[in-house]
Amino acid sequence: MQSTHARLSLLAAPAVLLVLAGCAAPTQPGTDAHDAGASWSYDGTGSPEHWGALADEYAACGTGAQQSPIDLPTARGDAELDLVGSGAVAGLTADNGHTVQFTADDGASTTIAGQDLDLVQMHFHAGSEHTVDGDPAEAEFHFVHADDRGALTVVGVLAERGAHNAAYESYIAGATAGAGRESAVDIEAMLPQIRSFATYEGSLTTPPCTEGVRWIVLENTIELGADQLADLEAAHVENARPVQPLGDRSVRHAL
Ligand SMILES: [Zn+2]
């Protein structure tokens, strides 16, 4: 999951402050890891196995016990996700150096299991970060939501090569534009028709790897045309963190 955009930093800030409030040390400006963090990457000295040692704020990347992504079990086809989008949502699509991120305009929301959540941003990884029985998909999209306290819920959608997908045209046009471009996403149109899912407690998949993120990964994949996948991969490829140990956690199939 990508988290470097300033708007998400603001939303994540309450969690940072809560942590600091438990310490004797006074809170200080500049402790927001999103802004102050060391540079990281997917290869070389800044690669995922080194993230935890790159900066104090990234420690969870190395020592956290509830990290994402994970390998998911075979699809079970249980209850479907109760998600209601708000139609086409406008925003800015721009490359942030690690992925291409659509940042929704203020007021964009999604209702999940009856709870209204802000749609903060969406972005992609190629190949996928979550795997199923050890197998990655061609790509994975993350729809990042926050509740009114800043707690994050990320809906993950796995994509395979197949038919052209009109619902992704606006976003992918932004991905190929280089500089920022206005585009629109309609979450419901971008999800698979059948919405059974796996859910678990995890983390951001990019530094600072903050935990307390509710993950909902849909079991059915979507299709993207070969040209669409190629356009995404031309922007970023192999921008996926390897799967992390499940540890004591369990993967559930209902919210
Ligand atoms: Zn992501």
Side-chain angles (χ1 to χ4, degrees):
M1 203 192 106
Q2 188 57 47
S3 64
T4 53
H5 192 275
R7 179 151 176 243
L8 182 52
S9 298
L10 290 172
L11 287 162
V16 173
L17 294 174
L18 277 175
V19 169
L20 291 170
C23 305
T27 57
Q28 299 168 356
T31 50
D32 186 331
H34 300 277
D35 296 324
S39 65
W40 54 271
S41 62
Y42 290 100
D43 58 12
T45 56
S47 64
E49 64 269 33
H50 302 301
W51 286 351
L54 292 176
D56 289 347
E57 311 92 274
Y58 298 174
C61 302
T63 61
Q66 298 201 321
Q67 291 288 294
S68 295
I70 60 170
D71 182 43
L72 295 167
T74 306
R76 290 176 28 150
D78 287 356
E80 295 191 36
L81 182 65
D82 173 14
L83 180 149
V84 181
S86 54
V89 170
L92 184 71
T93 296
D95 197 310
N96 66 15
H98 302 291
T99 184
V100 174
Q101 179 171 306
F102 166 87
T103 305
D105 292 344
D106 287 342
S109 67
T110 306
T111 305
I112 295 177
Q115 182 183 20
D116 291 334
L117 302 173
D118 290 333
L119 172 61
V120 182
Q121 51 108 327
M122 66 83 62
H123 60 268
F124 81 96
H125 303 267
S128 71
E129 297 205 298
H130 290 91
T131 57
V132 179
D133 274 342
D135 292 329
E138 294 275 356
E140 179 170 349
F141 296 91
H142 289 157
F143 297 86
V144 182
H145 299 83
D147 70 12
D148 54 11
R149 301 190 326 181
L152 300 180
T153 294
V154 184
V155 177
V157 176
L158 303 174
E160 295 290 3
R161 189 181 313 269
H164 183 86
N165 192 326
Y168 281 81
E169 280 177 359
S170 180
Y171 169 67
I172 292 175
T176 58
R181 176 190 163 111
E182 288 295 323
S183 53
V185 304
D186 180 341
I187 289 193
E188 292 203 78
M190 296 169 92
L191 300 186
Q193 296 275 326
I194 298 172
R195 297 176 184 166
S196 61
F197 62 94
T199 183
Y200 73 97
E201 291 299 315
S203 73
L204 303 181
T205 67
T206 57
C209 305
T210 310
E211 297 185 341
V213 176
R214 177 175 64 164
W215 278 92
I216 300 171
V217 182
L218 299 185
E219 292 185 324
N220 287 68
T221 59
I222 59 159
E223 293 185 6
L224 290 179
D227 59 326
Q228 293 181 302
L229 274 172
D231 282 346
L232 291 176
E233 291 171 353
H236 290 280
V237 72
E238 295 179 4
N239 62 342
R241 186 190 195 191
V243 293
Q244 306 294 305
L246 181 63
D248 292 339
R249 294 173 290 176
S250 58
V251 176
R252 305 181 313 278
H253 299 271
L255 294 178

